[in-house]
């Protein structure tokens, strides 16, 4: 008997690099006018930030996640609160870097009846000067790295080293990147929001934007477009599209981050690209049906059930304008 074959498999560990955030969320009927006051129907305090949200999604879907990035002073209330929430989710926090005297990032988030969120975020400028732990420490037992483009200043070197070691690096691009940005080549997968893709490429077309960026990087490229699904380039450089799942949306907070976390996990599981994008889309869609930011992320069984209800994929789209 092959005891190694019958032994339980250890889930992949994904290193999520970013800034944890303390989110103060308010449900409102409409956005207030300038200088006015309105009441909220509900208030909640949750931990957030792209990397933290993605880590929650990964763990809920059966992976392991560790988080690395800058936070404020260890004595700060926000730091203690976020650590408690991460511990409850089973996320490894050993690589978080506390910066004495600084303030942990904080957001004030308004959620309207459509589920769309409007946020005001404060990030202490000194947080960007963080020095991450050494690569040998961060990349030990690491199956993939997931980060965001805004963290390029302090994460590009570790991403480049991960690629040198053959570790996938997935980058969430939610704001314009320079076409000379190091993460363009220090990554294996770049997933843009539609707005960030068009701003980066300087074009008003997602399809043309992907084709332009493809000339600058060997990375897999995709653009997420909300209810319109995801546009991406296959291994032949041809445009493909995967549809979004139609759901009743009540809260989009953290949905994009859950998408990226699910996609990163799917990549470590060697899922085919179309399947990985579909898996990620299902996870994000289910999150949108619930309040609570990423803490409303689904469990693996829920995603598999949604996928099983509709295995058909949309035909390739190559005429996007």
């Amino acid at each position: 008997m092959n005891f190694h074959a019958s032994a339980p498999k250890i889930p992949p560990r994904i290193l999520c690099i970013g800034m944890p955030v303390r989110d103060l969320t308010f449900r409102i009927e409409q956005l207030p006018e300038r200088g006015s006051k309105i009441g909220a129907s509900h208030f909640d305090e949750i931990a957030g930030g792209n990397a933290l949200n993605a880590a929650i999604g990964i763990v809920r879907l059966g992976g392991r996640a560790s988080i690395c990035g800058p936070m404020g002073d260890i004595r700060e209330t926000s730091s203690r609160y976020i650590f408690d929430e991460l511990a409850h989710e089973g996320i490894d926090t050993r690589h978080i870097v506390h910066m004495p005297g600084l303030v942990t990032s904080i957001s004030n988030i308004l959620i309207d009846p459509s589920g769309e969120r409007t946020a005001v975020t404060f990030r202490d400028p000194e947080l960007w000067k963080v020095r991450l732990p050494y690569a040998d420490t961060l990349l030990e037992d690491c199956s993939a790295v997931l980060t965001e483009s805004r963290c390029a200043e302090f994460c590009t070197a570790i991403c480049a080293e991960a690629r040198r070691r053959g570790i996938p690096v997935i980058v969430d691009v939610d704001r314009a990147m320079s076409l000379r940005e190091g993460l363009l080549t220090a990554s294996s997968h770049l997933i843009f929001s539609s707005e960030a893709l068009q701003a980066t490429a300087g074009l008003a077309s997602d399809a043309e934007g992907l084709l332009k960026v493809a000339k600058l990087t060997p990375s897999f490229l995709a653009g997420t477009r909300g209810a319109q699904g995801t546009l991406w380039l296959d291994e032949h450089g041809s445009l493909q599209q995967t549809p979004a799942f139609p759901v009743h949306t009540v809260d989009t907070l953290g949905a994009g981050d859950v998408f990226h976390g699910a996609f990163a996990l799917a990549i470590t599981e060697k899922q085919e690209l179309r399947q990985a994008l579909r898996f990620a889309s299902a996870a994000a869609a289910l999150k949108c049906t619930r309040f609570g930011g990423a803490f409303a992320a689904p469990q693996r069984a829920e995603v598999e059930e949604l996928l099983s209800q509709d295995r058909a994929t949309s035909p390739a789209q190559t005429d996007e304008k």
Side-chain angles (χ1 to χ4, degrees):
M1 178 178 181
N2 187 336
F3 290 99
H4 291 289
S6 62
K9 292 184 178 179
I10 300 175
R13 182 179 75 84
I14 299 173
L15 173 66
C16 301
I17 303 176
M19 290 188 185
V21 181
R22 184 183 185 187
D23 287 337
L24 307 179
T25 66
F26 301 83
R27 293 185 214 165
I28 57 171
E29 289 303 313
Q30 61 183 18
L31 290 176
E33 296 181 2
R34 184 174 182 269
S36 67
K37 294 182 180 180
I38 62 169
S41 61
H42 181 82
F43 167 77
D44 197 9
E45 179 179 5
I46 58 177
N50 297 33
L52 187 151
N53 290 340
I56 293 172
I58 290 165
V59 171
R60 296 281 182 90
L61 293 171
R64 293 182 296 146
S66 60
I67 186 166
C68 176
M71 285 180 63
D73 198 292
I74 196 169
R75 298 167 296 179
E76 189 188 34
T77 300
S78 293
S79 290
R80 294 196 298 270
Y81 170 76
I82 290 173
F83 260 76
D84 288 345
E85 293 295 299
L86 291 173
H88 180 73
E89 290 291 324
I91 296 168
D92 180 4
T93 60
R94 290 174 297 168
H95 305 313
I96 285 180
V97 181
H98 285 285
M99 303 183 72
L102 300 190
V103 177
T104 294
S105 298
I106 189 167
S107 288
N108 187 12
I109 298 171
L110 305 178
I111 302 173
D112 67 26
S114 73
E116 192 57 73
R117 56 41 174 166
T118 302
V120 177
T121 300
F122 172 73
R123 288 184 171 87
D124 193 316
E126 294 297 309
L127 290 172
W128 301 106
K129 298 178 182 179
V130 66
R131 297 185 64 179
L132 301 184
Y134 291 115
D136 285 345
T137 299
L138 291 179
L139 299 179
E140 182 182 8
D141 185 35
C142 180
S143 300
V145 175
L146 173 61
T147 190
E148 54 183 301
S149 57
R150 80 181 78 192
C151 296
E153 184 175 350
F154 59 79
C155 78
T156 300
I158 190 69
C159 291
E161 177 59 20
R163 292 303 301 132
R164 191 185 71 80
R165 300 184 185 197
I167 299 171
V169 173
I170 298 92
V171 180
D172 166 13
V173 187
D174 65 355
R175 59 182 56 195
M177 290 178 72
S178 165
L179 293 179
R180 295 184 296 274
E181 174 61 61
L183 280 178
L184 286 174
T185 53
S187 61
S188 58
H189 301 74
L190 290 164
I191 303 180
F192 293 79
S193 68
S194 176
E195 296 82 2
L197 175 57
Q198 293 182 23
T200 297
L203 298 168
S205 162
D206 292 332
E208 292 178 7
L210 288 175
L211 293 170
K212 179 175 180 178
V213 176
K215 297 176 182 177
L216 305 173
T217 175
S219 297
F220 167 79
L221 298 175
T224 57
R225 305 187 295 171
Q228 297 181 59
T230 304
L231 190 67
W232 50 284
L233 295 177
D234 64 20
E235 65 273 21
H236 305 295
S238 298
L239 288 162
Q240 304 290 340
Q241 186 172 356
T242 52
F245 285 84
V247 295
H248 175 62
T249 298
V250 300
D251 178 12
T252 61
L253 180 62
D257 305 324
V258 170
F259 180 101
H260 293 102
F263 180 79
L265 180 61
I267 291 301
T268 67
E269 295 175 349
K270 310 300 182 185
Q271 292 188 33
E272 184 268 333
L273 283 170
R274 188 182 297 275
Q275 180 185 3
L277 289 166
R278 194 73 171 144
F279 178 76
S281 180
L286 288 170
K287 185 260 114 20
C288 286
T289 65
R290 308 161 183 168
F291 288 104
F295 288 89
Q299 301 289 334
R300 182 73 176 238
E302 297 176 281
V303 174
E304 296 292 355
E305 181 180 0
L306 180 57
L307 288 169
S308 69
Q309 292 172 2
D310 184 12
R311 290 293 181 185
T313 58
S314 297
Q317 301 292 318
T318 59
D319 57 352
E320 296 292 325
K321 304 295 183 184

